[in-house]
Each structure stands twice: as structure tokens, then as C-alpha cells.
Amino acid sequence: EDLATYTPLRVGSIFSKLHVPFTGSTDTLRLFLTEMFSGITEEISEEDGKACTKFCLHKNMVSVLIGKTSGIALVEWEASQAGDVIADAVIALLMHAQSSAAAIRLTSKPCRHPRPAEEDSTPSKKSKGESMAHTRLVLIRDTLKDQFESVEAVYEGNMATFEITTDSGLEANTAAENGVLTCTAKVAFSDDSGSDAKIVVECVDHKLASNVQECLQGF
């Protein structure tokens, strides 16, 4: 602070900017940031006709802007010991938010085609007398359908088998000859309360199977 008083030198600041590939959603990034940092501020603006979201950390020393450029998160920070450490953590978090089980939607291509009406045997809403275990099995099915191209569910009491079909795996050379990858997940609750369950996932793509199992365990 006294440098300008005793010398003709000027004090300046250096700001760094880094473009990080990011294809995740704003909600996912917000969740990861709030779990890692406190005192985060969020600003929503419009630039070049695009809705942008900016997260600021550590008294605006570090910021993350998404939405301005498709597939890119812009990280800016003031060069300092604290700023560099926080920026490194934010960049690592951006990469983790695209590959962890919490962001499993990025492991497949969501199906945008309209689906036929659900059969009465598998209602999406809880009916009178329906157990909590069955309700959670239906919720798991609906969640998986939002993430993968095709999901078939077979219910047997407090157990369900989900056959997941997708054309994008996480490991090389794991898809079948027709380009389709099948993953089978079995969820069995010990009782009607739906509190404890045994989960078994089988897939030739071991990384995809591991991510699906970790996601299901979150229920």
C-alpha cells in the first residue's frame, strides 16, 4: 500500500481468463458450487440474445460465466494466492460435474421422441394402498427414462428390473455390432418401506455400469 508513496512505481492487478469445455446444466453447476463454496452470488443476464448465468465467489475475485458460448464455461479470476487456488478448484469442479454419477445425464443421449401412454400396471403417481418401495421403483424408472433413449421396467413386488438401451458408452469398443449398448439394473427393496435396497447393475461397459449404480444408490 505504501509503494506509491515512496517510489514512482504503479500498483496493478492481473486478471486471468480460461475457457473450460462444459456441457452440463446450470442447475448441476449450481449444486456443485454451493456444496463446495459458501457466499456464492448468482447473476442472470442476456448477451447477444443468449441467457447467461454468472457465479461469483470469494467477494467477486473468481467468476464463472456459462451460456454466452455453447459448450464453454468462462472462468475469470484476479491473480493472487487465494484467487489461483480457488480458480483451480472451480476448474476441477467443472470437469467433475460432467463425469460424476450426479451428472449421469451426460453419459447418454436423452430421448426426445414422444412416448406412448403408460400402461395402467405401472402408474407414475402413487395410488391408494401402494407401498413406498413401489413408488420409489417407479421414480427410478422415470428418472432413467429422462437420461437414456430406452428404458424397459419389469416389476415383481418390491423388486424391479430395468433394461437400459443406449448408443453411447463410456468405454471404447463396448457397443454391440448394431451400435446399441444394453445395461441391466436390478433394484430389490427388503420391505414395503423402501428404506433398504440391493442394487445390481450388469453392462459390458464397466464405467457406465459403475456410474448407473452410484446414481441409483442416491435414491
Side-chain angles (χ1 to χ4, degrees), residues 5-208:
T5 303
Y6 300 104
T7 71
L9 298 177
R10 295 183 178 180
V11 179
S13 299
I14 299 176
F15 285 85
S16 300
K17 181 186 298 185
L18 184 65
H19 293 78
V20 182
F22 181 73
T23 57
S25 67
T26 303
D27 293 336
T28 302
L29 179 58
R30 182 186 299 109
L31 173 64
F32 276 76
L33 287 174
T34 52
E35 288 184 349
M36 180 68 68
F37 304 99
S38 62
I40 297 176
T41 59
E42 181 177 344
E43 302 175 3
I44 299 177
S45 60
E46 185 174 335
E47 297 185 20
D48 300 329
K50 299 179 181 179
C52 303
T53 304
K54 184 177 183 180
F55 298 97
C56 298
L57 303 81
H58 197 63
K59 299 180 180 179
N60 298 331
M61 181 179 292
V62 181
S63 66
V64 184
L65 177 66
I66 59 174
K68 184 177 181 179
T69 303
S70 178
I72 295 294
L74 179 60
V75 182
E76 295 183 86
W77 70 96
E78 181 180 351
S80 64
Q81 292 181 343
D84 292 345
V85 171
I86 295 175
D88 286 343
V90 170
I91 294 168
L93 186 145
L94 283 168
M95 304 307 294
H96 182 66
Q98 301 177 82
S99 59
S100 68
I104 194 173
R105 70 183 60 182
L106 300 177
T107 65
S108 65
K109 297 179 180 179
C111 179
R112 301 301 181 186
H113 300 289
R115 303 189 184 98
E118 300 292 339
E119 298 180 359
D120 294 338
S121 60
T122 57
S124 58
K125 294 183 179 180
K126 183 177 179 180
S127 58
K128 185 176 180 181
E130 185 177 286
S131 68
M132 179 60 68
H134 183 76
T135 301
R136 292 189 174 181
L137 291 173
V138 173
L139 176 61
I140 292 173
R141 178 206 62 187
D142 293 341
T143 302
L144 290 174
K145 279 191 173 184
D146 288 337
Q147 317 304 326
F148 297 95
E149 296 178 51
S150 176
V151 177
E152 298 294 334
V154 177
Y155 302 93
E156 297 180 8
N158 293 332
M159 181 183 72
T161 302
F162 305 97
E163 186 175 282
I164 304 167
T165 303
T166 180
D167 60 0
S168 57
L170 297 181
E171 296 177 345
N173 302 322
T174 54
E177 295 181 357
N178 58 358
V180 176
L181 182 65
T182 301
C183 185
T184 302
K186 296 182 180 180
V187 181
F189 287 100
S190 58
D191 51 39
D192 291 342
S193 66
S195 57
D196 297 317
K198 179 181 179 181
I199 301 173
V200 178
V201 181
E202 298 178 352
C203 183
V204 294
D205 190 321
H206 299 294
K207 187 174 181 180
L208 177 60

